[in-house]
Amino acid sequence: MQSILAYVQTFLPPVSWFIQLLLALLLIAVLGLLLGKPVMRYVINRVVDDATAKLLSDEYDENVAELLPSLKRFSVINIIELSLRAETGKVITRPLGTPKHYPEFDNLLFSPQQMTRFTLPVSTNIDMSVTLGRKAKKPLKLKIPLIIGSMAYGLALSEEAKVALAIASKRLGTALGSGEGPFLPEEADAAGKFILQICRWSWGLRTNEQIATADMLEIAMGQGADVGTAPIMAADIEGRARELGGLAPDETAISLPAPPGVHTPADWPVFMKKLRQRADGKPIALKLMATDRLEEELAVAVSLGVDVICLDGAGGGSHAVAPIKQDNFSIPILYALVRAKRYLAGTQISLIAGGGLYTPGHCLKALALGADAVVLGTVPLFALVHNQATKAIPWEPPTALVYYNSQTKDKFDLCQGATSVTNAFTSMVLEMEEAMRALGKSSLNQLSPDDLVALDSLTADLTGVKKVTDTCTPRAPSSPGRTAPHSQPNRFAERQQYTALLNQMRQSIQQAKKTTARLESMRERLRSYLE
């Protein structure tokens, strides 16, 4: 630096040392600009050349390329999770669900009519409202078919995140699920329509005051990414959530196989009767992980008289669940949705679909296949932090802003989060309305599987939707603007009719068995009386 200053002084009259320093720094900057690019290119070239030479000449056991064959069958995620297991020796928990991609709705496409049925004008209002629990005295009515999913306070999300979601639900005219965490009064107060979970934790029965704030109760037995019991260590649930959950200072929270009071399957009828009394006419839903035992589970639900079934398929997210459950349990929601719709045909039980649904197209296809509403969890979670991510990255994931135990949750802007979720859902609904106009439908009630076409045989056979390679000869419509029916039979409608008949037969058989049992009991009492 002194030599540079001396060099500068030879060309300049005497000036202060500060100006000399500035001029020297300016000269260094100019030289850096002139020489920096060539020098940098030279350094990068040497490094790349050296790395390439080693990569192509070193033996495999000394070569980083040794990993490449393994990565073809052993993904980066597998390597990271193996390292986490090796580090702690404990069960690891993965957020946000499985990385596996299931063949679900992508092989279904909408098939609009153009000559026999025109699209609707832009000015046409689309009725996107839904009613859940129609047979209940106080059914749940929503302005849109998209529900903000149940994400637990304390076990997953912070108070600010839950309140932001509640505010968004009120602006949207939809419902928000409480999740399995302790009851948060501010969330219930801020929500539009509130779904309170009756869950498998010590606080899971809820108080009568808490139930009074809800618009629907939901018995949570499983979800797409998780089922079964799990502990939450005392260090992982501290502060207000611990107090609201009624936990002692050092008490570990442990989930139960079923809600408190249900010890065996035989306890369900009594449990349901008491809960029905406490609900005071509000719908009661049952949330299940979608599995291949679906019809068996639905039979129990029908016998218990639930008003709503919420199915969560493989691909659903969760805050912290062992990868073995996320990757190897549950079935995709497309399969579960179609099977459940067939089984519940002829009943007034509403059906909510969730798990692996991320786009307006996914949601509208699920509604066309028979879902009464769609529940979204990962979508609102990412929307919460969409323009606040820079507060956490690059050292933490964006979702760290909304997790209960995160050190960066104080940086989360509640109002901005609520606005972002509102905007995301509004945008999705507007896209769905645009698709409805293109289909010539002004109400969700007009959607059906006939509006879809399947690209492969498996999807066609599963859903009853026409396969794209199956030709048909349409008849001319009987009047302008009406749909020209396919000459092929509607397999989905036929299966619906058959399933309805089977359900009626099943119910008749069950009723007959009950009548026979009562007659047998009366005969025994009469015999004992005569003797």
Side-chain angles (χ1 to χ4, degrees):
M1 179 63 73
Q2 292 179 352
S3 61
I4 293 175
L5 288 173
Y7 179 75
V8 172
Q9 288 173 351
T10 61
F11 297 96
L12 296 174
V15 293
S16 68
W17 67 270
F18 181 71
I19 294 179
Q20 294 178 27
L21 178 62
L22 289 179
L23 292 173
L25 292 175
L26 179 61
L27 181 61
I28 293 173
V30 171
L31 292 175
L33 290 174
L34 295 175
L35 301 177
K37 185 175 180 180
V39 172
M40 185 64 68
R41 292 184 64 178
Y42 173 79
V43 172
I44 293 175
N45 185 64
R46 288 295 304 269
V47 171
V48 171
D49 287 350
D50 185 59
T52 302
K54 290 181 177 296
L55 190 68
L56 299 178
S57 61
D58 285 359
E59 296 291 337
Y60 251 133
D61 58 358
E62 299 177 354
N63 200 321
V64 70
E66 179 187 48
L67 290 173
L68 296 180
S70 296
L71 286 175
K72 293 288 291 184
R73 53 181 170 77
F74 200 71
S75 71
V76 174
I77 294 176
N78 294 145
I79 290 178
I80 293 174
E81 291 183 349
L82 174 60
S83 297
L84 293 174
R85 294 183 178 102
E87 178 70 21
T88 65
K90 300 177 181 179
V91 173
I92 64 172
T93 54
R94 181 204 293 155
L96 304 179
T98 179
K100 296 170 69 174
H101 178 73
Y102 296 100
E104 295 191 5
F105 294 92
D106 291 340
N107 283 337
L108 287 172
L109 297 175
F110 285 105
S111 183
Q113 295 163 286
Q114 300 168 73
M115 298 298 293
T116 56
R117 183 172 189 162
F118 295 148
T119 60
L120 300 178
V122 175
S123 59
T124 304
N125 291 323
I126 307 299
D127 182 11
M128 301 293 283
S129 63
V130 297
T131 300
L132 302 175
R134 298 178 188 87
K135 65 178 183 177
K137 293 180 180 179
K138 303 175 183 177
L140 176 60
K141 297 181 179 181
L142 308 176
K143 292 182 179 179
I144 61 174
L146 307 182
I147 298 172
I148 299 177
S150 297
M151 291 174 271
Y153 164 66
L155 305 184
L157 298 190
S158 67
E159 177 177 335
E160 293 77 10
K162 291 294 289 180
V163 172
L165 292 173
I167 293 172
S169 73
K170 189 168 186 177
R171 293 175 181 174
L172 292 163
T174 190
L176 164 72
S178 70
E180 295 184 304
F183 178 81
L184 182 63
E186 292 83 354
E187 176 188 21
D189 292 341
K193 302 290 184 177
F194 189 53
I195 301 174
L196 179 61
Q197 282 197 345
I198 306 300
C199 58
R200 299 173 296 110
W201 294 85
S202 59
W203 55 80
L205 281 181
R206 314 297 188 178
T207 66
N208 291 334
E209 291 76 15
Q210 294 168 356
I211 287 178
T213 67
D215 297 281
M216 184 169 80
L217 304 181
E218 182 179 72
I219 304 170
M221 286 301 294
Q223 59 192 65
D226 191 21
V227 71
T229 58
I232 302 293
M233 305 308 294
D236 295 327
I237 178 171
E238 298 180 334
R240 191 181 181 207
R242 172 170 290 276
E243 296 175 5
L244 293 176
L247 297 171
D250 297 322
E251 182 181 357
T252 298
I254 302 176
S255 61
L256 308 170
V262 180
H263 305 290
T264 70
D267 296 329
W268 278 121
V270 174
F271 174 86
M272 192 68 180
K273 182 178 179 180
K274 293 180 179 179
L275 186 61
R276 181 72 69 185
Q277 293 172 347
R278 299 175 70 200
D280 191 29
K282 299 171 183 175
I284 297 178
L286 175 62
K287 184 174 183 179
L288 297 169
M289 169 189 278
T291 72
D292 193 49
R293 302 181 184 273
L294 182 61
E295 288 76 11
E296 177 184 336
E297 310 281 12
L298 292 177
V300 176
V302 172
S303 68
L304 292 174
V306 300
D307 305 297
V308 180
I309 296 291
C310 181
L311 289 179
D312 206 12
S318 183
H319 170 56
V321 176
I324 191 171
K325 290 183 180 180
Q326 294 183 359
D327 298 342
N328 302 282
F329 281 55
S330 188
I331 62 174
I333 188 58
L334 175 62
Y335 304 163
L337 170 60
V338 175
R339 286 172 57 175
K341 190 63 180 179
R342 290 172 184 162
Y343 187 88
L344 297 175
T347 72
Q348 291 185 299
I349 297 177
S350 302
L351 186 57
I352 302 174
L357 302 170
Y358 306 112
T359 70
H362 289 165
C363 297
L364 199 61
K365 290 173 187 177
L367 295 169
L369 289 174
D372 294 286
V374 171
V375 61
L376 301 172
T378 303
V379 168
L381 182 65
F382 283 164
L384 271 176
V385 298
H386 104 94
N387 61 353
Q388 303 187 55
T390 54
K391 299 176 182 179
I393 59 175
W395 310 119
E396 293 186 68
T399 49
L401 292 170
V402 295
Y403 287 155
Y404 181 79
N405 284 330
S406 171
Q407 296 180 353
T408 58
K409 67 179 182 180
D410 293 337
K411 299 179 181 179
F412 175 69
D413 187 329
L414 185 155
C415 295
Q416 183 59 57
T419 299
S420 298
V421 174
T422 303
N423 289 343
F425 272 62
T426 299
S427 174
M428 293 182 71
V429 172
L430 289 174
E431 282 192 46
M432 294 165 68
E433 290 179 353
E434 185 171 330
M436 292 282 288
R437 293 189 188 94
L439 291 168
K441 308 295 177 73
S442 60
S443 172
L444 289 176
N445 295 329
Q446 298 172 359
L447 273 181
S448 76
D450 284 341
D451 294 310
L452 297 167
V453 63
L455 299 182
D456 65 308
S457 299
L458 175 61
T459 304
D461 291 340
L462 172 69
T463 60
V465 169
K466 176 184 173 294
K467 186 181 175 183
V468 70
T469 55
D470 293 340
T471 59
C472 61
T473 305
R475 298 191 300 268
S478 57
S479 62
R482 296 189 63 184
T483 304
H486 297 304
S487 61
Q488 283 192 332
N490 187 330
R491 289 177 290 175
F492 187 86
E494 288 181 352
R495 289 178 180 176
Q496 293 277 69
Q497 294 174 0
Y498 295 151
T499 304
L501 290 173
L502 288 174
N503 286 341
Q504 291 176 5
M505 293 174 61
R506 187 182 296 110
Q507 292 172 4
S508 298
I509 292 172
Q510 291 176 350
Q511 187 63 36
K513 289 181 178 178
K514 292 179 180 178
T515 303
T516 302
R518 286 198 296 268
L519 290 173
E520 186 66 25
S521 176
M522 291 174 62
R523 188 178 71 173
E524 291 297 325
R525 287 200 299 269
L526 181 59
R527 178 182 298 174
S528 62
Y529 175 77
L530 293 175
E531 292 176 350

